Every structure is written in C-alpha cells, then in structure tokens.
Amino acid sequence: GIRACRPGAPRPGRWYTRQIGCAFDGNYIVEPDSNLLLTRNVNFPCEWRFDSGDILTFQTQETLERLTEDFAISRGVTIPTGSYVFRRQRAQWQSADKRPVVLRFIYEWGHFYRGRRDDWTARVDLRPGPYFFLSAEYQQNDGRLPEGNFIIRLIRLRVSIALNPDVSWFNFFQYDTVSEVLSMNSRLRWIIEPRNEVFRVYNHNWRGANGNLRPILREGRIKVRYTYRF
C-alpha cells in the first residue's frame, strides 16, 4: 500500500472548522508466481473536522480488479471471470466521540463491475456511562448488474457491560440476508489480578428456515491465563 498526505493540514479558523485535510492512499496486489496484477485501489479521501468534534468525509476510489474465476456475489448473481475497472464515491458523517450518543451515516455509490451499486450504513453508539456500551448498525448494499440485481442487508448489535473493574461482559449479534444466519458471540472476562485472567466464550448460530430460526452451532470455551513469577 502507499499513502501520501501533505503535513500540516489547513486550519482555517472559521466556519466552525478545526482542520481540513486530504490524502492519497492506494494498494497494488499481484499474483506471487506470475506477477499478474490482481487488484489495484487508488483512494482520494478528504476530511473536514469541526470544532465540535464532528467529522465530514468525502472519498473517490478507483478500483481495478481481475477475477480469475467466476464470483458468486449473491444468490443467483455471478460475475464472470475477467478484468474490471470502476470508480466509486463515498460520503460519511460522524458525530463527536465525546458525546453519549454517537451517530454515523455513510452513503457510497458508483460503478461496480459492469453495473452499479449503492450502499447505505447507519450506526448509533450509546455510552451513557463508563460501565455500559450499546451499538446498533444497519447496512444495505443495492446492486444492479447485467447478471442480475441483488440486495444484501446486514444488522449488527454490540453490548458491553462492565460489572465491576475486574469483570466485563461483551456480546455481539449479527444477521445477514445472504447466509440467513444469526450469530451470537458472548465473552465474559474476569481479571483475577494483573496478567491472571479467565475468559468464558460462548458462540451460538441460528439459520432461517420457513420463517423460523433453527440452531446450527453451539460452542463454549474457557480460557485461563496465569503467570507465575519466581
């Protein structure tokens, strides 16, 4: 990857603006044996930081991607082998992290392989105090290709609770309309003393069937990390 950014981004001192900065970012990936170019990304992001801590970002990206085999991007939609060059734009607004409620909205649009794709993402983080954190996120990808149209929806939920300074409980839930799998990861951490910890991890997955969720995975693990000094 490569990255370049002019040092000392402008600080206008007006329009409630703290700093404005633009950058150049990219990567170049080749096949190890033949040096055949597989992927090339070139990004031009610009970021506008306000005095309030809110951030507004705009980005243009040009992508070259070579598929060495057919790519099934969604059920019934397969992109054939070949080389593709497409350009996309992205706009993002995020409120300041210092607030108890943080909002993030992202809209990305433009060409995608031989068609177009529009992406929407909305996320809200709630942090009413130092012991509780809740995050909910919704993402939708709307693709329109010669090979067919598709809509992919993804929902994520994160809940973190600090029961006390030594015991914390983290839970993560995710569902997407491609796999139709609802997954849960629950992790309990107990710090007995510095460098001595106990982890309790539980994973549970369900798959949708005829409007119902059917369990397909249950897994529990316990990990103990203990350091003995002598």
Side-chain angles (χ1 to χ4, degrees):
I2 52 178
R3 184 177 180 85
C5 183
R6 187 173 64 182
R11 298 176 180 268
R14 61 181 68 180
W15 310 312
Y16 306 100
T17 300
R18 178 183 303 169
Q19 192 175 41
I20 298 176
C22 294
F24 168 77
D25 182 89
N27 59 61
Y28 188 94
I29 302 173
V30 300
E31 206 279 331
D33 297 328
S34 64
N35 286 328
L36 178 67
L37 176 63
L38 298 178
T39 301
R40 183 192 67 221
N41 288 308
V42 180
N43 307 313
F44 297 95
C46 286
E47 184 178 86
W48 188 340
R49 291 180 174 266
F50 295 89
D51 292 332
S52 62
D54 299 342
I55 302 175
L56 184 62
T57 304
F58 297 96
Q59 175 177 297
T60 294
Q61 178 186 68
E62 183 176 275
T63 299
L64 181 151
E65 186 161 344
R66 177 175 286 108
L67 300 180
T68 57
E69 58 184 30
D70 292 351
F71 173 40
I73 193 170
S74 184
R75 185 178 303 170
V77 181
T78 299
I79 301 174
T81 302
S83 297
Y84 302 88
V85 178
F86 47 92
R87 178 175 293 177
R88 297 179 56 77
Q89 287 74 42
R90 175 188 175 106
Q92 175 176 331
W93 179 80
Q94 177 181 332
S95 60
D97 286 334
K98 63 185 178 182
R99 297 192 175 104
V101 179
V102 178
L103 302 176
R104 182 182 292 116
F105 300 99
I106 303 172
Y107 176 51
E108 185 174 322
W109 70 99
H111 299 97
F112 185 69
Y113 295 100
R114 295 193 297 178
R116 297 185 63 85
R117 194 186 83 200
D118 294 330
D119 300 341
W120 297 268
T121 300
R123 173 172 168 174
V124 56
D125 296 343
L126 304 178
R127 192 177 286 106
Y131 304 109
F132 181 79
F133 172 77
L134 172 66
S135 175
E137 179 180 344
Y138 175 80
Q139 179 179 324
Q140 177 172 312
N141 302 328
D142 186 355
R144 301 175 298 281
L145 304 172
E147 295 78 16
N149 300 332
F150 65 89
I151 296 179
I152 301 174
R153 297 181 177 91
L154 176 67
I155 300 172
R156 294 191 179 104
L157 180 67
R158 300 174 178 88
V159 181
S160 180
I161 302 173
L163 303 176
N164 59 53
D166 298 324
V167 180
S168 59
W169 185 26
F170 173 79
N171 295 276
F172 175 74
F173 302 86
Q174 177 173 293
Y175 177 79
D176 71 87
T177 56
V178 176
S179 66
E180 296 183 334
V181 170
L182 172 63
S183 59
M184 180 191 75
N185 170 261
S186 182
R187 184 173 70 248
L188 184 66
R189 180 187 184 190
W190 175 27
I191 303 176
I192 302 173
E193 58 185 36
R195 298 188 179 181
N196 296 333
E197 302 173 323
V198 177
F199 294 89
R200 173 66 169 90
V201 180
Y202 179 69
N203 296 313
H204 198 150
N205 291 353
W206 300 263
R207 172 166 286 142
N210 300 321
N212 298 316
L213 291 175
R214 177 173 53 86
I216 58 174
L217 171 68
R218 291 191 183 97
E219 178 185 60
R221 288 178 293 169
I222 295 178
K223 177 182 177 181
V224 179
R225 183 165 62 187
Y226 181 78
T227 302
Y228 177 73
R229 298 180 179 179
F230 57 90

